[in-house]
Structure formats: structure tokens, C-alpha cells
Amino acid sequence: MKLKLGFSPCPNDTFIFDALVNGKIDTGGLEFEAVLEDVETLNRWALEGRLDVTKLSFPAYFKTQEQYTLLNSGSALGKGVGPLLISHRQQPFTEAEINGAAVVLPGINTTAHLLFSFAYPDAHHKSFGVFHEIEDAVVNNGAALGVIIHENRFTYQDKGLVKVTDLGEYWEQAMKVPIPLGGIVIKKSLGNAVFGQVDGLIRKSLEHAFSRYPEVPAYVKEHAQAMSEEVMRKHIDLYVNNYSLDLGAEGRAAVDTLSAVYNRLHTGA
């Protein structure tokens, strides 16, 4: 059976899936056609049901639960891993100023957008762009504020930008659970047997990568060409952890907490 598998070119995803898609582990007869896209593209494709197995942001998962189910392995979830609200302005912002400012975010279906809305429910001057363009939008005064994710956590200060709010820290202090950023889902129509097989293979693929770490696979380097190996390792160290091997009860409870917040923000209840 051949499955279309979508994930991002970011180091955490390529690190997890390298062994699976590049023949480094036995896949038990399953074939995977890898499709690498930015997470908001993957979110949109999930809403359209394009891929058999895909990485997606948790708000996109909440919208697609009739079609997809969450795997135990492959997720990005943890502590101290949340998006950052940043600005080129050195002076502190008041909450009223943030609510009235132009903010650029990495996609309407992203967890970053949900966490920003959780922290600042009255901020409505929002626009959306590709995550790696947000720093430049703020540097060039296209927006007063930006929400950054992924490797931009490690580079924004190099561009003279400053942190306004750690949205992950805000979430952790308020909700007392880890931050669920993104998960790996599979089409329910494929059945329980394929669910179990794919889930086990993703875990095996990650265990293969961990067994050789801190070596950075060529596959990771290939898709992170503008990044130094130091930043690649920082990225992997931050976003790939025991929750990536298995969400477990604590991880799934955190996802349920995020789902309840998502529903409250979208229904006003």
C-alpha cells in the first residue's frame, strides 16, 4: 500500500521522518510518498482531505476530526516551545497597544494563531503570512508585531527584534499543561490495522534518528540549507522529545485542553 505523507521541511519533521521515507527502516510493505510543505499549506490540505497521513496544526485537527485521527507518535508538544510575539520597538507594549496594533501571524489555522488569540482575545488587526517571512514583515514596518515559530525563535534578535510576549509561557502559566503545537494524523478510512502500523513506523523512524543523534542527517540539512547545524540542533532539541515518541496520557490531556480553549474562542461559550 502506498500512502501520501505530508510534513514540513523544518528540522524537527525531517529528523522524525528521515528513516521512514529514505529506506533506513523496514516499513513492512508500506510505501510513503513524501510531500513537504509549510504547515499552513498542510493545514489547508487536511481540510480538503488530500493526504493519507499528515502533519498539521492542532486547530486544523480540531476541524478535521471526522476524517482524521491523531497518531500517538510524531507530534510537536512540550514545555518552553511556544511561539513568540515580537516587535522592532524597544519600548514595552501595553495590552491596549497590542490590541490596537497590526499583527502578522503564520496562518489562520496554526496553533500560533490560537495561542495569540488566547492571550489577546481583543486583538483584531491580524494578517497572515508564511512563517519565515514574518520577521522581515516586522523589520520592514509592514506590521508593528509578529508571531514567530520554528527556527525564527533563534534568529529574531539577530535582526534587532525584541520579544514582547512568550505565548507558550503565557499558556503554560494559565493552563498548567504542556503546549500542543502540531500532530500527525491519519485518515480514519484506512482502518485500525494501518493506524497501528504507521504509528509504530513513525516511532521506529524517530528512534533510529535518536540513536545517532547529535548527528544531523543529510535529509535534514538538505531541507534546511539556510540554517547552520547549530540552529538545526537547537530546533531538534526544542521540538523533538518524548512526547514525539508517544503523546501519552499527559500529552493527550494537553490536546484536550487546547481543544476546549479552541471551542470556547470560536463559540464564545
Side-chain angles (χ1 to χ4, degrees):
M1 178 185 290
K2 190 171 189 176
L3 300 175
K4 279 193 172 183
L5 166 64
F7 53 92
S8 83
C10 295
N12 59 310
D13 283 350
T14 51
F15 183 77
I16 290 171
F17 289 106
D18 170 43
L20 180 67
V21 301
N22 290 310
K24 296 181 180 180
I25 59 171
D26 181 1
T27 59
L30 285 182
E31 293 180 51
F32 293 89
E33 179 187 339
V35 181
L36 278 67
E37 289 288 349
D38 71 274
V39 71
E40 184 62 0
T41 298
L42 295 174
N43 289 338
R44 291 198 304 269
W45 286 2
L47 295 173
E48 298 168 6
R50 283 201 198 186
L51 301 173
D52 299 308
V53 183
T54 186
K55 172 75 174 282
L56 80 179
S57 303
F58 277 110
Y61 168 59
F62 302 148
K63 294 179 181 180
T64 59
Q65 288 183 83
E66 289 187 5
Q67 188 167 16
Y68 289 101
T69 190
L70 181 64
L71 291 165
N72 298 304
S73 297
S75 287
L77 183 146
K79 298 174 181 178
V81 300
L84 303 179
L85 180 66
I86 52 97
S87 176
H88 54 78
R89 194 178 99 177
Q90 302 297 312
Q91 296 85 0
F93 280 78
T94 65
E95 185 170 344
E97 285 178 321
I98 292 172
N99 288 338
V103 185
V104 60
L105 298 112
I108 195 166
N109 296 301
T110 60
T111 306
H113 180 208
L114 177 56
L115 292 175
F116 176 78
S117 298
F118 174 67
Y120 300 104
D122 296 321
H124 300 298
H125 302 287
K126 296 183 280 192
S127 62
F128 301 92
V130 181
F131 79 91
H132 58 78
E133 297 175 351
I134 289 174
E135 283 181 335
D136 288 340
V138 177
V139 168
N140 297 325
N141 296 327
L145 296 161
V147 175
I148 55 170
I149 57 175
H150 299 325
E151 63 272 12
N152 297 123
R153 284 181 59 101
F154 311 118
T155 60
Y156 72 94
Q157 290 173 312
D158 297 338
K159 297 186 178 181
L161 299 169
V162 296
K163 178 176 70 176
V164 177
T165 307
D166 185 325
L167 297 172
E169 186 178 274
Y170 182 92
W171 165 265
E172 289 182 67
Q173 290 177 352
M175 307 308 290
K176 312 303 181 189
V177 296
I179 310 154
L181 296 173
I184 309 294
V185 298
I186 187 169
K187 278 189 173 177
K188 291 181 176 179
S189 59
L190 292 168
N192 291 334
V194 176
F195 174 102
Q197 189 175 1
V198 172
D199 203 37
L201 287 173
I202 294 172
R203 180 176 181 130
K204 190 175 178 182
S205 182
L206 179 52
E207 287 173 340
H208 182 280
F210 273 150
S211 72
R212 287 154 178 81
Y213 196 64
E215 175 189 331
V216 177
Y219 190 63
V220 174
K221 296 176 185 177
E222 175 190 344
H223 293 285
Q225 294 175 353
M227 242 181 268
S228 68
E229 279 199 34
E230 180 187 4
V231 172
M232 292 178 209
R233 288 193 184 92
K234 284 181 178 179
H235 192 114
I236 292 165
D237 291 342
L238 188 65
Y239 296 112
V240 187
N241 52 36
N242 286 336
Y243 293 116
S244 306
L245 285 170
D246 188 343
L247 275 172
E250 185 182 22
R252 287 191 174 268
V255 174
D256 289 343
T257 300
L258 189 71
S259 177
V261 169
Y262 171 85
N263 289 329
R264 187 176 78 234
L265 288 173
H266 285 77
T267 63

